[in-house]
Amino acid sequence: KLSGGAFPSCDILIRYLTRTQSGKIWLAREVYLIALLLIGLWLVRQEAQTWQLRLLFFLLLPLVATRGLTGHAAAVRENTVFMLAVDAVHMIAVALWAGGLPVVFWIFWRAKREGKCSPSQAARIVRRFSRVALISVCLLIPSGFYQSLTHLQDWPALLNTSYGNVLSFKLILFAFML
């Protein structure tokens, strides 16, 4: 976008990151992410306690929630703050549900490999994740519907625009995961 499709020069990148709102937000989010990654690596080396990992998890939520500050939600002219809040809720719900699925599979794969997961433990894990998944889906549906109504002007736009095509793909993935 910045150089007509070619890789932008360092000067253009620096100007983008330091002089534009989206560049400053992107840079701040990346610095925050690097700090959290370093903390996470340190915690792994220290054999972190559960409360420390939970704290790190909650510190990651603002990173997920602020994704909309550089996307479609920030471009809405009316009710921008409300749209950013809806987008934040939507992104956190996606992260918890779609991000949680691979974690649950990884837990079961590792437990099976090590022979450490009893049926009662597996049931407890599934029950706990199912609550998170249900709450996430209950938040995803209305927030996604509201965003779709805001960004798509009519139903043909679902198939005739780039945004609509991406949304259609996401809806197919959503239905598959559901």
Side-chain angles (χ1 to χ4, degrees), residues 144-163:
F145 186 73
Y146 179 76
Q147 288 178 324
S148 298
L149 288 177
T150 303
H151 296 301
L152 293 174
Q153 300 304 315
D154 52 24
W155 286 108
L158 192 61
L159 301 174
N160 299 328
T161 64
S162 297
Y163 182 86

Side-chain angles (χ1 to χ4, degrees), residues 74-107:
V76 173
R77 300 253 186 244
E78 296 176 12
N79 301 321
T80 306
V81 173
F82 181 72
M83 187 57 152
L84 287 169
V86 168
D87 188 68
V89 167
H90 190 79
M91 293 306 295
I92 288 172
V94 167
L96 291 174
W97 183 40
L101 283 173
V103 173
V104 170
F105 285 120
W106 177 76
I107 289 169

Side-chain angles (χ1 to χ4, degrees), residues 11 20 25 36 63 82 88 97 156:
D11 181 51
T20 66
I25 291 169
L36 291 177
L63 186 66
F82 181 72
W97 183 40

Side-chain angles (χ1 to χ4, degrees), residues 9-160:
S9 67
C10 285
D11 181 51
I12 290 175
L13 284 174
I14 290 169
R15 283 190 311 193
Y16 169 74
L17 293 173
T18 59
R19 295 184 184 174
T20 66
Q21 179 181 346
S22 63
K24 290 175 185 176
I25 291 169
W26 183 87
L27 191 58
R29 290 179 78 245
E30 295 303 312
V31 168
Y32 186 68
L33 173 63
I34 290 168
L36 291 177
L37 284 172
L38 292 173
I39 291 168
L41 289 172
W42 180 76
L43 287 174
V44 167
R45 292 182 143 216
Q46 301 299 317
E47 296 184 20
Q49 296 177 6
T50 303
W51 73 268
Q52 292 170 317
L53 295 174
R54 286 183 180 153
L55 178 61
L56 182 61
F57 168 78
F58 283 106
L59 290 174
L60 282 166
L61 291 178
L63 186 66
V64 174
T66 57
R67 172 66 177 85
L69 292 174
T70 59
H72 287 95
V76 173
R77 300 253 186 244
E78 296 176 12
N79 301 321
T80 306
V81 173
F82 181 72
M83 187 57 152
L84 287 169
V86 168
D87 188 68
V89 167
H90 190 79
M91 293 306 295
I92 288 172
V94 167
L96 291 174
W97 183 40
L101 283 173
V103 173
V104 170
F105 285 120
W106 177 76
I107 289 169
F108 285 134
W109 174 78
R110 189 166 175 202
K112 182 180 178 186
R113 191 180 80 193
E114 296 173 5
K116 292 184 178 178
C117 192
S118 69
S120 64
Q121 288 174 316
R124 192 175 82 238
I125 292 168
V126 169
R127 254 193 322 274
R128 289 181 77 181
F129 179 72
S130 293
R131 279 183 280 199
V132 171
L134 180 62
I135 292 168
S136 295
V137 169
C138 288
L139 293 171
L140 275 172
I141 292 171
S143 62
F145 186 73
Y146 179 76
Q147 288 178 324
S148 298
L149 288 177
T150 303
H151 296 301
L152 293 174
Q153 300 304 315
D154 52 24
W155 286 108
L158 192 61
L159 301 174
N160 299 328

